[in-house]
Amino acid sequence: MNSGIIKEQAKDGDILKFQGNPAVSGGESGTANGNAQMIRLEDIRMTYDVGDISYEALRGIDLDVGKGEFLSIMGASGSGKSTLMNILGCLDKPTSGRYFLEGRDVSNLTSDELAEIRNKKVGFVFQGFNLIQRLSVVENVELPMYYSGIPSKEARDMAMEALKLVDLSDKGNKFPNQISGGEQQRVAIARAIVNNAPIIMADEPTGNLDSVRGADVMNFFKKVNAERGVTIILVSHDKNIANYGRRLITVKDGVIISSSIIEANL
Amino acid sequence: MKPVKFVFFLDLKSAYKTFIRNKIRSFLTILGIVIGVGAVIATVSIGQGASEAIQSSINAMGANMLMILPGSSSLGGVHSGFGVLPTLTLRDAYAIRKLPAVKTDSGMMGMAQQVVWRGNNWATLINGANSTFSEIRNWPVAKGTFFSHGQVVSAANVAVIGNTAATELFGLINPIGHTIIIKNIPFTVVGLLSIRGFNAFGQDQDDIVVIPITTMLEKVAGTTWVHAIAVSAKSAKDTSKAQSEITALLRQRHHIPAHKASDFFVRNLTQIAQTANSSANTFTVLLGSIAAVSLLVGGIGIMNIMLVSVTERTREIGIRMAVGAKKKDILKQFLIESSVLSLFGGVLGIGAGMGISSAISAFSPLKTIVTMEPVIIALIFSLCVGIFFGFYPAYKASRMNPVEALRYE
Ligand SMILES: Nc1ncnc2c1ncn2[C@@H]1O[C@H](COP(=O)(O)OP(=O)(O)OP(=O)(O)O)[C@@H](O)[C@H]1O
Ligand SMILES: [Mg+2]
């Protein structure tokens, strides 16, 4: 993968706003939604209180993500990437600022309302796979449907279809500890997309994998993005992994310091 | 709308899997419930067995029955049965019969005697009674007839025989019409009593031969004193009236001055049996509540292990929350899990309790009865224990922060 070319756009004085690139539209996503807005963050701040001292992990993030985008986030350890991801994925609420998801303000919802949004809109893929060991592969994939009340037979069909997409049709009855790390991460991808959630949040998805399996997993992200038009937001330390995306932003000390289009992937 | 069935089924399945994965731990957790429920079922079955036995002896005694015994109640009323205190006679019984609140009477005398039929010997209870015996004791004959009033008046040599005595003497032969020998006196068997079984004190009530009280006094015992007079009041309401009428009558007949104690006493047997019954019930309730305490202890055990389980599965809770589980979903999952645990304990406990109860029946003179009621109550109770003691751990799980739960190692 080649490094991207940085195109910064300055707006409104000192606030930097990074727009999704309109050039991403059409093509892979197959729909005319490239311009449509998926996510909009306005001056998102996150302060952690640890004892007497408080630490500001995010210091004013403005970000737009379009439908069907594949966005990579890079940054040094402790720069606030995971904190940002948790807010984007509605796992956490920002201390201040506004977050619009598909046009709806979700910055001040209750925890159950956020759970509902996670269920319908967001799929997560974590570094540590995060599958439930007690449940079989297909049961893990069914989990989101379980909480959205889809009948079991339908849920099973949808889960099998999602497993097929990640080439794991034959592993449905295995348990997580009976398959490889790469396969586990593909199960996590299947779980993320099974409920037709429009967004996948992937925090260091290849962090526990060797480069071959990592590349394998990344190709499935690309496939899901291309075939289903799923918006993907990926956090990675690894430049090679980040370069699977079509846009790259860099976070430093809780602010976005650069945004660039990875032209090789357009 | 959420299809409740699917959700519930998956939670059940998950609870079952957790249970299976930690077999020993789960078993130890529910042991308290098993012991508690088992103890409740066993004690209640003993109590119900006792009540039933008492109830059946009330029925066996006959309705509204009073017993007049010689001696003084202030002496404690202990009655040896064979050493007769000479205060009551058949004439007393005949006088009592005429009282307004009294329906029938039977002077009674019992003694253990050897009975012989064609070389077969059997020691049994010979009971002298009136022709009203069958009615007072609510005890019909199975074959033949009971001896008549005329046979009592003429002190006839006739006998009605209980089933056990009949079997011992006659085997399979129909005893009616045969002649048995008691104390060298021949008696013609005119009736066979229906089977009564054992009474509450473990006595075989069928091991008996009943002969007219007159014959008993004149020919067998050679005395005019009876052991007891059994009286049947006209109705349940009349028992205490009958009691005072009898007392007044007998004091007058025995010429007892007002300042002296009676030389007899009247026992209301139904009342005594009912008192015994209610104290058996009290005993059952007491034992049952002690057993219920161990259910509570079992509940605390469940709470403890559920807290451990919630902590162990923090990450799983985070994952479930990440894919969209709401607070109530997590709460429900852990509540179902604790309920399944304690219900399973309840089922095992019921099995254990029934086992203990039938073992007691088989190896001791106590009779036990397991009815549906305590089984259902035990099930509901163990379900409640599961929900009550599972609530705090489940609540704790449902309040976790998803980000922190996902980070938990
Ligand atoms: N729950 C928390 N309480 C206190 N401080 C926190 C908490 N979570 C994160 N932080 C702090 O916020 C900053 C950003 O953390 P974050 O996890 O977002 O970093 P990151 O960019 O994901 O790092 P890494 O690449 O190591 O995963 C760090 O300094 C971290 O110590
Ligand atoms: Mg991180």
Side-chain angles (χ1 to χ4, degrees):
Chain A
M1 294 295 145
N2 299 318
S3 61
I5 292 160
I6 297 171
K7 286 185 195 166
E8 290 193 8
Q9 299 164 315
K11 252 173 131 188
D12 298 339
D14 53 7
I15 298 172
L16 288 174
K17 186 159 275 179
F18 298 92
Q19 301 284 348
N21 192 335
V24 173
S25 66
E28 294 101 328
S29 63
T31 55
N33 62 3
N35 284 324
Q37 188 188 60
M38 188 58 139
I39 285 169
R40 181 187 195 91
L41 298 185
E42 288 176 1
D43 195 25
I44 292 290
R45 289 169 189 275
M46 188 63 163
T47 307
Y48 290 115
D49 292 317
V50 189
D52 301 338
I53 46 164
S54 64
Y55 178 81
E56 199 170 24
L58 297 179
R59 309 166 188 224
I61 299 277
D62 293 273
L63 179 68
D64 278 355
V65 183
K67 272 193 176 133
E69 254 205 82
F70 194 148
L71 174 72
S72 296
I73 302 174
M74 287 195 76
S77 186
S79 57
K81 305 180 299 291
S82 295
T83 305
L84 178 58
M85 281 294 256
N86 290 339
I87 290 170
L88 284 169
C90 293
L91 278 171
D92 222 344
K93 280 195 266 192
T95 313
S96 72
R98 310 244 282 164
Y99 174 11
F100 296 92
L101 182 68
E102 290 184 324
R104 179 182 177 196
D105 187 349
V106 297
S107 7
N108 276 312
L109 298 184
T110 66
S111 60
D112 277 354
E113 287 168 331
L114 289 177
E116 176 111 29
I117 288 178
R118 291 196 295 273
N119 184 252
K120 297 273 159 31
K121 303 291 178 192
V122 189
F124 290 94
V125 180
F126 302 95
Q127 177 172 0
F129 314 139
N130 278 347
L131 301 177
I132 297 177
Q133 301 295 319
R134 267 177 322 124
L135 302 182
S136 70
V137 162
V138 68
E139 284 168 343
N140 266 286
V141 178
E142 282 173 353
L143 213 54
M145 270 110 63
Y146 173 26
Y147 293 114
S148 51
I150 292 169
S152 68
K153 205 178 156 337
E154 206 178 312
R156 180 56 55 101
D157 292 345
M158 287 165 77
M160 288 314 292
E161 201 198 330
L163 281 173
K164 199 169 156 196
L165 201 77
V166 293
D167 285 352
L168 287 174
S169 302
D170 53 334
K171 298 274 163 70
N173 291 323
K174 291 241 181 331
F175 283 83
N177 61 4
Q178 296 170 323
I179 59 177
S180 75
E183 286 169 335
Q184 289 189 54
Q185 205 57 306
R186 278 149 60 191
V187 174
I189 294 174
R191 184 180 64 193
I193 59 160
V194 69
N195 211 6
N196 295 318
I199 313 166
I200 291 182
M201 303 281 169
D203 194 347
E204 303 275 8
T206 60
N208 287 3
L209 302 174
D210 62 42
S211 57
V212 178
R213 291 184 200 277
D216 182 44
V217 164
M218 287 317 296
N219 282 325
F220 281 103
F221 277 111
K222 270 181 94 168
K223 184 180 172 191
V224 164
N225 177 247
E227 288 181 11
R228 292 207 166 188
V230 177
T231 307
I232 294 176
I233 301 176
L234 168 81
V235 163
S236 183
H237 273 110
D238 185 340
K239 188 80 179 154
N240 289 329
I241 297 299
N243 279 344
Y244 276 86
R246 283 192 303 264
R247 182 158 67 116
L248 176 71
I249 61 174
T250 308
V251 178
K252 190 183 178 204
D253 296 333
V255 290
I256 298 175
I257 54 161
S258 74
S259 171
S260 61
I261 301 301
I262 302 167
E263 293 189 331
N265 291 340
L266 291 183
Chain B
M1 269 311 294
K2 230 171 209 198
V4 176
K5 256 197 203 147
F6 176 50
V7 172
F8 187 70
F9 175 72
L10 278 195
D11 276 339
L12 266 187
K13 200 168 147 189
S14 160
Y16 171 75
K17 279 188 177 177
T18 316
F19 189 90
I20 293 303
R21 263 170 82 91
N22 303 305
K23 274 192 208 81
I24 292 181
R25 187 168 98 177
S26 304
F27 181 72
L28 291 176
T29 304
I30 63 173
L31 201 56
I33 302 282
V34 174
I35 292 169
V37 168
V40 168
I41 297 288
T43 47
V44 170
S45 80
I46 294 169
Q48 286 194 324
S51 289
E52 173 102 354
I54 290 165
Q55 194 56 49
S56 77
S57 50
I58 290 176
N59 294 341
M61 267 183 241
N64 319 320
M65 167 109 151
L66 296 170
M67 217 32 157
I68 303 150
L69 299 168
S72 158
S73 60
S74 60
L75 292 174
V78 181
H79 179 59
S80 73
F82 300 114
V84 187
L85 283 170
T87 65
L88 293 175
T89 65
L90 264 190
R91 298 196 174 283
D92 289 332
Y94 296 150
I96 286 168
R97 185 178 304 172
K98 300 194 179 78
L99 291 170
V102 171
K103 195 163 103 192
T104 49
D105 73 285
S106 172
M108 297 214 296
M109 171 165 234
M111 62 175 25
Q113 270 299 337
Q114 202 76 13
V115 183
V116 183
W117 182 71
R118 286 194 194 155
N120 288 350
N121 266 290
W122 184 245
T124 185
L125 175 72
I126 312 297
N127 210 331
N130 213 332
S131 58
T132 51
F133 174 92
S134 176
E135 185 188 345
I136 293 176
R137 297 283 300 269
N138 204 3
W139 194 355
V141 289
K143 278 184 190 150
T145 54
F146 206 83
F147 48 77
S148 65
H149 180 62
Q151 284 167 320
V152 174
V153 173
S154 63
N157 289 4
V158 287
V160 176
I161 190 166
N163 191 67
T164 303
T167 310
E168 293 295 338
L169 288 170
F170 294 93
L172 294 173
I173 299 164
N174 181 357
I176 309 291
H178 289 282
T179 301
I180 53 175
I181 312 292
I182 303 168
K183 256 190 144 183
N184 295 322
I185 304 159
F187 284 82
T188 307
V189 178
V190 294
L192 174 70
L193 288 165
S194 54
I195 298 175
R196 262 276 151 100
F198 290 81
N199 68 8
F201 316 101
Q203 286 170 329
D204 182 359
Q205 299 176 87
D206 298 318
D207 194 1
I208 193 171
V209 171
V210 188
I211 61 175
I213 180 70
T214 44
T215 319
M216 179 75 168
L217 294 173
E218 290 166 22
K219 301 182 182 168
V220 182
T223 173
T224 52
W225 309 112
V226 296
H227 276 160
I229 300 170
V231 173
S232 183
K234 284 213 169 94
S235 73
K237 279 198 308 236
D238 285 328
T239 47
S240 41
K241 197 167 148 222
Q243 197 164 351
S244 48
E245 283 175 3
I246 291 164
T247 309
L249 176 77
L250 290 185
R251 284 180 71 89
Q252 188 205 339
R253 285 179 61 84
H254 295 185
H255 310 292
I256 298 166
H259 62 274
K260 281 212 162 173
S262 301
D263 58 357
F264 61 92
F265 57 97
V266 185
R267 280 275 158 90
N268 185 337
L269 290 194
T270 314
Q271 217 166 52
I272 289 169
Q274 273 160 354
T275 310
N277 199 7
S278 75
S279 57
N281 283 343
T282 312
F283 186 65
T284 304
V285 168
L286 193 73
L287 276 183
S289 10
I290 292 169
V293 169
S294 69
L295 267 179
L296 291 189
V297 175
I300 293 166
I302 285 189
M303 175 140 123
N304 183 36
I305 219 69
M306 287 308 296
L307 282 172
V308 171
S309 175
V310 163
T311 307
E312 274 178 355
R313 286 153 66 194
T314 300
R315 212 182 166 87
E316 173 186 331
I317 294 164
I319 295 169
R320 287 178 183 272
M321 286 178 160
V323 301
K326 293 179 182 166
K327 288 197 203 84
K328 68 168 172 24
D329 295 317
I330 301 294
L331 189 77
K332 200 176 59 191
Q333 181 190 341
F334 282 95
L335 275 184
I336 287 177
E337 214 168 294
S338 61
S339 306
V340 164
L341 263 183
S342 65
L343 254 187
F344 192 67
V347 170
L348 286 187
I350 287 167
M354 284 174 154
I356 292 167
S357 148
S358 49
I360 290 172
S361 260
F363 300 114
S364 84
L366 289 172
K367 292 286 158 260
T368 61
I369 296 168
V370 179
T371 57
M372 227 33 221
E373 218 174 44
V375 168
I376 289 168
I377 289 173
L379 277 183
I380 292 173
F381 201 81
S382 51
L383 184 66
C384 292
V385 164
I387 291 172
F388 184 80
F389 288 98
F391 189 82
Y392 174 66
Y395 180 81
K396 221 179 133 203
S398 73
R399 296 293 137 146
M400 280 182 182
N401 174 315
V403 175
E404 276 161 29
L406 280 166
R407 244 201 323 250
Y408 186 85
E409 287 304 323

